[in-house]
Amino acid sequence: MSRKDEIIERIKENGCRITKQRKILIDIILENDCASCKEIFYKASQEDDRIGVATVCRMINALERIGAISRKNMYRIESGENCAGGCDIVLEDDTVFSIPKEKLDQIVRDGVRRCGYLSNGKKISRIIYRDGQT
């Protein structure tokens, strides 16, 4: 699943419709290092003149709520850069399994659900992998 698809899925899980304008805004944020809502609005309005400042601000707030962006990261989509290629799992007999990041994310999500960490209808908003830990 691509980063864009993951974000769209999380937005849907949060009860929002996925409109053409929202897809444009996600693309702009993924493809650019935008420093402000105004900059995102400027780029978006060049693609679709019906996108207003309020639409951009609401989308930024929605993305922050689901943990996809952070103001401290200047509206860049957060990702597990440290494990972008996935991980290797080494068994006692030195057998190595390479797991792509998308599959690793799904394994973590399934494990968290099965272990009972998601009570009262809570949903995972993001997974943060720490670099260099074995």
Side-chain angles (χ1 to χ4, degrees):
M1 178 182 291
S2 73
R3 188 71 180 130
K4 179 179 178 178
D5 292 337
E6 183 181 330
I7 291 166
I8 288 172
E9 185 63 31
R10 286 170 39 199
I11 290 172
K12 285 180 185 177
E13 287 173 0
N14 242 20
C16 294
R17 292 179 311 132
I18 302 303
T19 64
K20 180 182 173 196
Q21 291 177 337
R22 286 190 172 136
K23 286 181 181 178
I24 290 170
L25 293 172
I26 292 169
D27 286 338
I28 288 168
I29 295 168
L30 282 170
E31 295 167 6
N32 301 280
D33 287 334
C34 297
S36 67
C37 286
K38 184 188 262 186
E39 187 177 346
I40 295 168
F41 165 71
Y42 176 75
K43 291 176 186 291
S45 64
Q46 290 178 330
E47 289 190 41
D48 184 341
D49 62 359
R50 295 172 299 163
I51 295 176
V53 175
T55 302
V56 174
C57 291
R58 283 191 302 269
M59 185 62 175
I60 293 298
N61 288 335
L63 291 170
E64 281 184 314
R65 271 194 312 275
I66 66 169
I69 65 169
S70 170
R71 288 185 196 263
K72 70 180 180 194
N73 286 331
M74 303 302 289
Y75 302 118
R76 276 174 267 153
I77 299 291
E78 290 185 353
S79 64
E81 303 262 335
N82 297 333
C83 64
C87 75
D88 293 330
I89 296 178
V90 182
L91 302 180
E92 291 175 332
D93 67 356
D94 291 328
T95 303
V96 178
F97 295 101
S98 293
I99 301 175
K101 183 179 179 312
E102 294 79 20
K103 184 67 175 173
L104 181 60
D105 286 349
Q106 189 57 51
I107 290 168
V108 171
R109 289 177 193 281
D110 290 346
V112 167
R113 280 188 198 95
R114 287 185 185 145
C115 289
Y117 289 104
L118 296 178
S119 60
N120 300 325
K122 292 183 181 177
K123 296 179 182 177
I124 295 172
S125 67
R126 61 184 158 153
I127 299 171
I128 301 171
Y129 296 98
R130 294 195 171 86
D131 189 26
Q133 295 188 2
T134 56

